[in-house]
Amino acid sequence: MPPLTTELRDRVAALVHRPVRRVATGWPAVDAALGGGLDADAIHEWVLDDGGIGVAPRGVLIALAWQMVAMTDPAAVRHGAGLVVWIGRWVWPSVRALIGRDGSRELLARSLWVDPGGADARAWAFEQALHCDGVAMGVVDGTGFSRALSRRLQLAADRSAAACAEGTRTRPPALACVIRPWRERDALGSASTRWIVAPAAASAEDESPCWTACLHRARGHGGAVAASASAGTGAGVSAVVRAPWHWTG
């Protein structure tokens, strides 16, 4: 194996020693277990346990996207920031699913749909999105992503600092989310967290679709996080997420 270049070695060292910036998910048990939420400068993988029918866990990701919409500074939004980029047709949400329960179209207005093609093209588009300060969240179809590709994306996801004329500057936080199919639930990768998403029963009061998001694997938390092996165990860190849209048809 060739030696690491000086630039790559410095970037890896920066990842190891950087302070962690977190984005609250709005799921109390998850935020408490992860020290405030998801790492805003890392990759997070989401795997759907759907019995093999191949439906992406869009509801959970749409709920997180609304969190990022709410957190974005209105002044930045006026200058085009706060975008959510959906990369790969498999992860594209419907237009109706992006309209909030109160009828708000804010997330719809900030969403971009990108269809670059194969795995390498999707990864490249995801990298470009994460390099853009105006992007608050990137969601990509990670089907077929290799471990090496996962490492490359992890470096792209680190938005804690960027070079500028004065040296370095802090970049706005963003969520970097990779969706994998169920058959790739044990694929090797460099994501900070991996989640299993499974359908959950709707409540009697609200028949909206629900999902259970259960932490499957977490890096850098040691014994502080009790990750479960699957969504059905009832153990570990998990949250029930209700569909954030008002459409019920």
Side-chain angles (χ1 to χ4, degrees), residues 132-146:
C132 176
D133 284 2
V135 172
M137 181 174 174
V139 183
V140 65
D141 173 6
T143 303
F145 280 8
S146 66

Side-chain angles (χ1 to χ4, degrees), residues 113-130:
W113 290 262
V114 181
D115 184 24
D120 287 340
R122 281 184 269 115
W124 179 85
F126 193 49
E127 284 184 288
Q128 303 314 303
L130 296 178

Side-chain angles (χ1 to χ4, degrees), residues 68-109:
M68 299 308 294
V69 165
M71 291 176 57
T72 305
D73 185 346
V77 173
R78 288 194 292 271
H79 289 86
L83 298 176
V84 179
V85 184
W86 310 88
I87 301 171
R89 285 181 175 268
W90 184 51
V91 304
W92 283 5
S94 70
V95 169
R96 287 183 290 184
L98 295 179
I99 300 175
R101 284 179 166 267
D102 60 355
S104 172
R105 294 174 176 256
E106 187 70 18
L107 177 55
L108 176 60

